[in-house]
Amino acid sequence: MGSDHLALSRWTWGYLGLVAFSLLGSLFSHLTHLDPGVIAPVTAILTLLVGLVAAFGTDRTAFRGVLAIVLLGTVVELVGVRTGFPFGTYAYTSRWWPVIYLPGFGWFPLLVPLAWALIAGASSLVAARLVSSPAPRVLLGGLLAAVLDLVMEPVMTGTLGYWVWQGKGPLPGGAPVANFFGWFGTSVLAGLVLTATGQPSRRPNDPLAVLLGHLGLVVGLGLIG
């Protein structure tokens, strides 16, 4: 296995640079009490988009996979906020910009489907690096995404206030147990979608670096407060 096989792509380095920029900007705003204004949401959008390209690539197979998971995430989230299935009863706030208000659904952040694609998709690709058999790979990807959500919940609901749980549960951030299984099931579906559309061909370390970068971003924002 050569060093080129282990190297990260330029897109991945760009993504990690945006993660670092986000953390430094948040720290600066926290210390100075200055409002970052439009810089924060624009950086968030760029970070997600560059992260998706870093994890999936730019070929037609990658585009099909990302588009399919974005559509899956959109449908599942809309069903979730309307019915409480499969995650439990929750509602988004207007803090995750850009947001729109949908009658009967409440606030809906437009970045949610992209975040789903990043986490569930990259988790599936990392699992594919570890396990070759399709069924165990899909299950491992779902489990990895669900565990990552356990880390994200306290920051997303507490520090950032992006959504609120209507009835506190026993998991981190007040999430109900159903949320863990909802994440697992939806991420398994994302893995099946990737299998159906064709796994994008990426250097093996790129999806892992994207997941670690995302984890570092969330943990860092939680520590900054």
Side-chain angles (χ1 to χ4, degrees), residues 116 119-120 123 140-150 152 183 187:
W116 261 111
I119 299 167
S123 294
L140 178 60
L143 180 61
L144 178 58
V147 171
L148 283 175
D149 178 64
L150 293 177
M152 294 191 303
W183 263 85
S187 299

Side-chain angles (χ1 to χ4, degrees), residues 60-98:
R60 188 173 300 177
T61 299
F63 178 79
R64 288 199 305 265
V66 170
L67 179 60
I69 300 178
V70 166
L71 292 175
L72 171 65
T74 301
V75 171
V76 172
E77 285 287 345
L78 288 174
V79 172
V81 295
R82 184 62 183 265
T83 68
F85 177 83
F87 308 110
T89 307
Y90 65 104
Y92 284 105
T93 69
S94 60
R95 296 185 64 177
W96 194 353
W97 190 92

Side-chain angles (χ1 to χ4, degrees), residues 2 14 37-38 43 53 59 104 113 142-143 147 150 167 174 189 200 207 210 220:
V38 73
T43 301
V53 175
D59 58 22
L143 180 61
V147 171
L150 293 177
L189 287 178
V210 168

Side-chain angles (χ1 to χ4, degrees), residues 56 59-66 125 137 191-201:
F56 285 86
D59 58 22
R60 188 173 300 177
T61 299
F63 178 79
R64 288 199 305 265
V66 170
L125 295 177
R137 179 181 69 213
L192 292 173
V193 165
L194 281 182
T195 301
T197 57
Q199 289 277 352
S201 177

Side-chain angles (χ1 to χ4, degrees), residues 4-5 21 31 37 59 61 67 72 87 92 100 105 107 117 125 139 141 150 155 169 172-173 181 208 215-216 224:
D4 182 66
H5 184 65
F21 178 80
L31 295 176
D59 58 22
T61 299
L67 179 60
L72 171 65
F87 308 110
Y92 284 105
I100 57 175
F105 295 89
W107 293 107
L125 295 177
L139 293 174
L150 293 177
V155 178
F181 291 102
L208 178 60
L215 182 63
I224 292 170

Side-chain angles (χ1 to χ4, degrees), residues 7 30 35 52 102 105 122 130 141 151 172 174 184 186 191 199:
H30 178 74
D35 184 357
L52 286 170
L102 300 175
F105 295 89
L130 301 174
V151 179
F184 173 75
T186 304
Q199 289 277 352

